[in-house]
Amino acid sequence: MAAGQKLMRAIRVFEFGGPEVLKLQSNVAIPIPKDHQVLIKVQACGVNPVDTYIRSGTYSRKPLLPYTPGLDVAGIIEAVGESVSAFKKGDRVFTTSTISGGYAEYALAADHTVYTLPEKLDFKQGAAIGIPYFTAYRALLHSARVKAGESVLVHGASGGVGIAACQIARAYGLKVLGTAGTEEGQKIVLQNGAHEVFNHKEANYIDKIKKSVGEKGVDVIIEMLANVNLSNDLNLLSHGGRVIVVGSRGPIEINPRDTMAKESSIIGVALYSSTKEEFQQFAAALQAGMEIGWLRPVIGPQYPLEKVAQAHEDIIHSSGATGKMILLLK
């Protein structure tokens, strides 16, 4: 390590495995931005289910070990590479990705993955935008190609992506139905764009949704837990309806015949399949949402860096999400 190089606290993963492989170290070198990179002093970082899949080694993309997890941070620009013109030291920003990892006091990011954070949103909210809102926008507008006047069911609407999907769908003129597993979750869903909410822990909630949407069915379902819900989803769809699979944690048996009479579709969505141009397009729409005021992230559980293993445990195993989980770095 170069003499005089500054150090920071960061989470490091030296082997793939359970939450216990997340190690807090206080002697990690602060990276130096080059070319089109910026260095961000991290104030808050989003915790996403995908972080746990990458950490366990079961995800399609495996980082080189050791690595620092974390993709969506919010903070203040500390330094910029020589080719950066869009940002300067002191700017408030959020990211959709990082190069060096977000579970750290400082994070390196490519300038095209960094966006201005408006003054009206705080850093906690900034850390809740990246993956949830860009994923929800891609799912609704790019994958489902929703049109104003259509109906959408957000299956698992009280977490980060779910709340984002409700806010976006409502802003774009859809009839929004959501599900949540707790009373608090249901309240949050109704406060964030849903016209109606259903408790997916109730035995007969599918019947209640069917009754609400009538003969026609639902045009689009944004599905957070396909391994549990996909078979029911196919029965809820309208003619030409689409299920957009945002999350799944295992296999499920479905009857392909359920797609035939309705000519319905099952479409997977992966945020990082987006092109640079698509990211810019999503960002423009979401920046407008921040300015107008319909994009308002709801913050859920908050953890210090020391409790990151607990955060990874909770995001997978605690039932009933209520907002976006974040790490606080301040």
Side-chain angles (χ1 to χ4, degrees):
M1 193 185 300
Q5 185 157 17
K6 295 196 173 81
L7 303 177
M8 65 174 179
R9 293 161 73 235
I11 299 296
R12 302 293 280 162
V13 174
F14 294 91
E15 59 179 325
F16 296 115
E20 70 283 354
V21 303
L22 298 160
K23 306 291 185 197
L24 177 57
Q25 298 204 313
S26 51
N27 61 346
V28 180
I30 296 177
I32 295 163
K34 303 194 292 275
D35 302 334
H36 284 281
Q37 297 172 350
V38 301
L39 182 68
I40 300 164
K41 185 174 182 6
V42 180
Q43 304 291 308
C45 180
V47 180
N48 297 286
V50 71
D51 298 345
T52 71
Y53 310 149
I54 295 169
R55 183 214 70 225
S56 66
T58 57
Y59 195 61
S60 53
R61 281 184 319 165
K62 276 199 179 115
L64 290 171
L65 295 168
Y67 80 99
T68 295
L71 297 158
D72 34 14
V73 305
I76 299 159
I77 299 272
E78 179 73 15
V80 300
E82 55 273 21
S83 307
V84 175
S85 57
F87 300 102
K88 62 185 187 311
K89 185 177 160 80
D91 286 352
R92 301 169 86 249
V93 294
F94 70 93
T95 69
T96 48
S97 188
T98 64
I99 296 166
S100 62
Y103 294 10
E105 291 177 322
Y106 292 88
L108 205 57
D111 61 358
H112 67 88
T113 65
V114 179
Y115 309 89
T116 300
L117 181 65
E119 287 294 336
K120 63 167 73 167
L121 296 181
D122 63 27
F123 290 115
K124 293 178 191 179
Q125 291 174 305
I129 300 168
I131 288 183
Y133 281 86
F134 282 72
T135 299
Y137 190 91
R138 183 172 180 82
L140 285 162
L141 278 297
H142 177 274
S143 307
R145 297 189 165 85
V146 294
K147 297 183 187 74
E150 286 191 313
S151 58
V152 61
L153 170 66
V154 182
H155 218 156
S158 63
V161 179
I163 290 169
C166 288
Q167 291 178 357
I168 294 166
R170 184 64 180 257
Y172 279 76
L174 282 92
K175 181 179 185 202
V176 186
L177 313 175
T179 77
T182 64
E183 212 169 298
E184 191 190 351
Q186 290 178 73
K187 207 165 79 182
I188 287 173
V189 172
L190 281 177
Q191 287 165 351
N192 285 282
H195 293 89
E196 282 184 78
V197 69
F198 304 88
N199 183 343
H200 53 225
K201 297 231 171 100
E202 282 179 11
N204 64 338
Y205 86 98
I206 295 288
D207 296 330
K208 288 186 178 175
I209 295 173
K210 278 186 174 157
K211 200 172 161 189
S212 169
V213 297
E215 282 295 295
K216 182 179 183 297
V218 186
D219 297 310
V220 173
I221 298 176
I222 304 295
E223 182 51 68
M224 309 302 167
L225 200 59
N227 54 298
V228 173
N229 299 321
L230 189 56
S231 184
N232 279 330
D233 289 345
L234 294 177
N235 288 307
L236 286 170
L237 286 179
S238 64
H239 189 87
R242 299 81 87 194
V243 179
I244 311 298
V245 179
V246 172
S248 186
R249 295 181 183 170
I252 182 174
E253 189 173 304
I254 62 165
N255 184 348
R257 186 166 283 282
D258 293 341
T259 66
M260 291 164 64
K262 294 175 177 176
E263 297 193 320
S264 56
S265 315
I266 301 166
I267 303 169
V269 67
L271 176 58
Y272 291 102
S273 296
S274 311
T275 62
K276 255 190 212 184
E277 291 69 33
E278 285 167 347
F279 266 109
Q280 296 307 324
Q281 180 200 326
F282 304 163
L286 296 172
Q287 289 279 5
M290 292 178 225
E291 288 160 21
I292 295 162
W294 58 253
L295 193 161
R296 307 178 306 276
V298 176
I299 304 307
Q302 305 172 35
Y303 300 78
L305 216 45
E306 295 77 10
K307 296 273 168 64
V308 65
Q310 190 62 51
H312 270 222
E313 191 71 37
D314 293 349
I315 200 163
I316 298 299
H317 297 295
S318 72
S319 65
T322 49
K324 169 71 183 160
M325 184 182 287
I326 59 164
L327 292 177
L328 287 177
L329 274 295
K330 282 187 290 188

